[in-house]
Amino acid sequence: MKPSVILYKTLPANLLSRLENHFTVTQFDDISPETVKANADVFANAEGILGSGGKVDGAFLASTPKLRVASTVSVGYDNFNVDALNERGVVLMHTPTVLTETVADTAMALILSSARRVVEVAERVKNGEWQSSIGADWFGIDVHHKTLGILGMGRIGLALAQRAHFGFSMPILYNARRHHKEAEERFNARYCDLDTLLAESDFVCILLPLSDETRHLIGTEQIVKMKSSAVLINVGRGPVVDEKALIQALQEGKIHAAGLDVFEQEPLAVDSPLLSLPNVVALPHIGSATHETRYGMAECAVENLITALTGKVEVNCVNPQVLK
Ligand SMILES: NC(=O)C1=CN([C@@H]2O[C@H](COP(=O)(O)OP(=O)(O)OC[C@H]3O[C@@H](n4cnc5c(N)ncnc54)[C@H](OP(=O)(O)O)[C@@H]3O)[C@@H](O)[C@H]2O)C=CC1
Ligand SMILES: O=CC(=O)O
């Protein structure tokens, strides 16, 4: 008998077929407690799950006693309680690498659009405000040769540093838990502590995962250390920034602008003050959202599930210790 798996993401037809060749697949819209409760038998028999979003915690694991593998269609896995997975011996697979370059493009797009006010001025053109030669009230700030501070010099951080160094001649500062020789040698990046990075950067770009250590890492105390001309970019996870503190800082002109792909609550509330600030570019968590990359991620997640349930895992495992 084929192992049972739960799919909670829409897959292209060919990838769904590939999954069905190996498993008995049951599809749901989500894995919310309501869905789990209403389909308790299916969840009780599942050996694998594949999807994105949705909380996988102790309560979920109690409802899935046969679960062996969780395959997330994302690189970030902050919605999984990894300790609880480890305790139960459940393997967690994710999709790094395949999305790295696309997410770095999104970060660069946010840097450029925040600095040059691309969204705001394009709206003004659409509203018929371009009636004569533009004046200083349409101007932005330069990106090239400005200092970029990268928080989190991992896969995406490195890809952003490459763009900024070679494409825009930007000096790079970075902070991570350890030094990254590759970034220093290839992009002349300089490691510095958080306070120094905040004080010296013209653009601060967050590419950190969400964890107990990074939650609200950037709050009022940190924002006031930034230059008043600086721009904050967040492509990592929303809760790394204390959003209330950021809103207040933007309203009071403590920093120049923000470019945000991620928020404390997603989707962002339509009445969020962020949406009425002209110096904020807000994107709907599109970091990896291109047709090519989303296909690549789905394909990677499918292969991850097949390998982890039927073969030998060599890459893309978050908790390889449970394989031993
Ligand atoms: N907006 C979007 O659509 C997307 C967002 N993301 C987010 O980007 C994150 C990064 O992805 P990726 O680059 O592939 O991940 P990596 O694991 O390659 O890089 C993470 C970096 O963060 C650093 N880091 C982690 N914890 C801390 C900490 N407490 N203090 C300082 N530095 C820390 C790591 O430091 P060290 O190198 O020293 O270990 C590493 O340099 C994902 O976890 C996800 O949250 C990813 C894809 C799309
Ligand atoms: O936010 C997206 C991810 O892949 O992580």
Side-chain angles (χ1 to χ4, degrees), residues 148-202:
L148 172 63
I150 301 180
L151 289 180
M153 188 54 87
R155 289 168 290 253
I156 303 168
L158 268 178
L160 176 63
Q162 179 180 30
R163 283 155 178 74
H165 175 70
F166 291 116
F168 296 86
S169 305
M170 299 174 87
I172 314 278
L173 308 177
Y174 77 98
N175 180 265
R177 290 170 297 197
R178 60 198 169 88
H179 288 242
H180 287 263
K181 212 168 156 212
E182 186 184 351
E184 294 176 12
E185 287 174 355
R186 289 180 61 202
F187 314 127
N188 205 21
R190 176 160 69 86
Y191 182 92
C192 48
D193 61 35
L194 180 59
D195 285 357
T196 307
L197 183 147
L198 293 169
E200 294 187 12
S201 299
D202 298 302

Side-chain angles (χ1 to χ4, degrees), residues 120-131:
E120 187 192 348
V121 299
E123 276 306 311
R124 289 176 70 179
V125 174
K126 282 188 183 166
N127 290 339
E129 288 180 51
W130 186 25
Q131 298 292 343

Side-chain angles (χ1 to χ4, degrees), residues 26 57 101 103 122 137 184 191 197 208 251 264 270 277 304:
T26 309
D57 55 10
E101 299 294 330
V103 182
D137 61 322
E184 294 176 12
Y191 182 92
L197 183 147
L208 291 166
Q251 286 169 336
E264 289 214 69
V270 289
L277 287 164
N304 283 344

Side-chain angles (χ1 to χ4, degrees), residues 5-70:
V5 305
I6 286 169
L7 178 63
Y8 54 107
K9 175 109 190 156
T10 304
L11 291 180
N14 63 322
L15 296 182
L16 179 57
S17 296
R18 175 140 175 81
L19 213 53
E20 286 171 337
N21 286 340
H22 289 81
F23 311 119
T24 302
V25 180
T26 309
Q27 188 148 11
F28 294 110
D29 288 342
D30 56 57
I31 52 165
S32 64
E34 296 73 29
T35 303
V36 174
K37 198 171 168 199
N39 302 280
D41 288 355
V42 184
F43 280 86
N45 278 312
E47 292 183 54
I49 57 170
L50 187 153
S52 65
K55 214 169 170 183
V56 174
D57 55 10
F60 180 85
L61 292 174
S63 310
T64 51
K66 293 191 181 162
L67 191 67
R68 291 196 285 134
V69 178

